[in-house]
């Protein structure tokens, strides 16, 4: 199954691009950050044309609290695992994947991403972003964890990278788990939640002011919707869907 996934990876991989929820500029850096946890950093300066969308400051904690729906989002439906072989570019990414830790770990076994299976599932529980999507996108962007950005910066998604200076501009994270947690939160807030509400900055202490606007790039909670501003290509959506479906079929075959 992984051999087929690797072939799809080579056929559909896209160039890294910068899509951080908040570009770490001098303005953002002045926002107080909890000192108990490390935070991702950008190397050494972002693109001059990058404009921060909000004042969120990335850290290695999760906000909102695990299990809490994002304010302003539609009520979370009763979890219904996606049927094997049905993951498409129109799949609702806020729905539970139904995949287990052992099934996901089995698919990733023998790759640098094998130990990240728990983090993908934890992000799904915390932010209601499909673990199948998070895993497939990580495979696509990191080449099953073989990319230099992943190895040097624990950055599975090429977050903050651009075509001109991908390694320099990609954000650094203290761990792969911290990267997964932050990116899941950012995607949930920016791409999967309708506009019209605000949430506290990522990693903010309880009671922090809700200063981050939701839905800045919302076009529906599907791969097709996310692709409009996240990747600018339906080919990216098709590649991620194919990988997610591959994982799902492998899990179903394993039982």
């Amino acid at each position: 199954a992984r051999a087929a996934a690797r072939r799809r990876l080579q056929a559909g991989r896209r160039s890294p691009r910068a899509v951080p929820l908040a570009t770490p500029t001098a303005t953002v850096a002045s926002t107080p950050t909890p000192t108990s946890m490390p935070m991702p950093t950008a190397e050494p300066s972002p693109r001059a044309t990058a404009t921060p969308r909000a004042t969120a400051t990335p850290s290695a904690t999760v906000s909102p609290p695990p299990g809490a729906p994002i304010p302003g989002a539609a009520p979370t439906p009763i979890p219904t695992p996606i049927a094997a072989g049905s993951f498409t570019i129109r799949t609702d990414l806020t729905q539970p994947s139904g995949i287990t830790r052992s099934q996901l770990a089995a698919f990733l076994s023998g790759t640098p991403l094998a130990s990240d299976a728990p983090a993908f599932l934890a992000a799904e529980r915390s932010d209601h972003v499909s673990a199948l999507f998070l895993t497939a996108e990580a495979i696509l962007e990191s080449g099953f964890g073989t990319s230099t950005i992943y190895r040097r910066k624990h950055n599975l998604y090429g977050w903050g990278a651009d075509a001109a200076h991908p390694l320099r501009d990609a954000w650094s994270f203290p761990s792969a788990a911290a990267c997964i947690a932050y990116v899941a939160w950012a995607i949930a807030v920016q791409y999967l939640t309708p506009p019209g509400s605000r949430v506290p900055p990522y990693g903010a202490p309880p009671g922090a002011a809700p200063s981050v606007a939701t839905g800045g790039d919302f076009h529906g909670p599907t791969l097709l919707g996310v692709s409009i501003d996240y990747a600018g290509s339906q080919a990216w959506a098709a590649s991620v869907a194919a990988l997610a479906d591959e994982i799902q079929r492998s899990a179903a075959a394993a039982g």
Side-chain angles (χ1 to χ4, degrees), residues 119-132:
F120 292 124
L121 291 167
E124 178 179 281
R125 292 190 298 270
S126 297
D127 298 298
H128 307 292
V129 182
S130 170
L132 286 169

Side-chain angles (χ1 to χ4, degrees), residues 64-80:
I70 296 173
T76 303
I78 298 175
T80 303

Side-chain angles (χ1 to χ4, degrees), residues 112-113 115-116 119 150 153-157 173-181:
L113 301 182
S115 61
D116 297 326
Y150 174 78
K153 296 189 169 186
H154 303 294
N155 188 335
L156 291 79
Y157 300 100
F173 293 86
S175 66
C179 174
I180 293 167

Side-chain angles (χ1 to χ4, degrees), residues 17-31:
R17 58 185 295 279
V19 286
L21 185 63
T23 305
T25 63
T27 301
V28 176
S30 65
T31 305

Side-chain angles (χ1 to χ4, degrees), residues 15-226:
S15 299
R17 58 185 295 279
V19 286
L21 185 63
T23 305
T25 63
T27 301
V28 176
S30 65
T31 305
T33 305
T35 57
S36 59
M37 301 293 287
M39 62 175 277
T41 57
E43 301 281 327
S45 62
R47 295 178 301 165
T49 56
T51 302
R53 291 186 176 279
T55 56
T57 302
S59 72
T61 57
V62 176
S63 173
I70 296 173
T76 303
I78 298 175
T80 303
I82 300 169
S86 64
F87 201 105
T88 73
I89 61 174
R90 291 180 172 78
T91 294
D92 187 337
L93 301 182
T94 66
Q95 294 295 303
S97 65
I99 197 169
T100 67
R101 175 175 174 174
S102 61
Q103 290 170 335
L104 193 54
F107 183 85
L108 298 171
S109 65
T111 77
L113 301 182
S115 61
D116 297 326
F120 292 124
L121 291 167
E124 178 179 281
R125 292 190 298 270
S126 297
D127 298 298
H128 307 292
V129 182
S130 170
L132 286 169
F133 160 69
L134 292 171
T135 305
E137 169 65 343
I139 290 171
L140 185 68
E141 296 299 338
S142 73
F144 276 99
T146 61
S147 72
T148 301
I149 291 175
Y150 174 78
R151 289 185 288 106
R152 294 189 183 180
K153 296 189 169 186
H154 303 294
N155 188 335
L156 291 79
Y157 300 100
W159 198 261
D162 57 28
H165 304 288
L167 180 59
R168 187 195 73 182
D169 291 346
W171 289 22
S172 292
F173 293 86
S175 66
C179 174
I180 293 167
Y182 176 74
V183 170
W185 178 85
I187 288 176
V189 171
Q190 191 76 357
Y191 296 90
L192 301 180
T193 303
S197 62
R198 292 180 178 272
V199 296
Y202 181 78
S211 58
V212 181
T214 63
D217 292 304
F218 180 78
H219 301 285
T222 67
L223 272 173
L224 196 58
V226 172

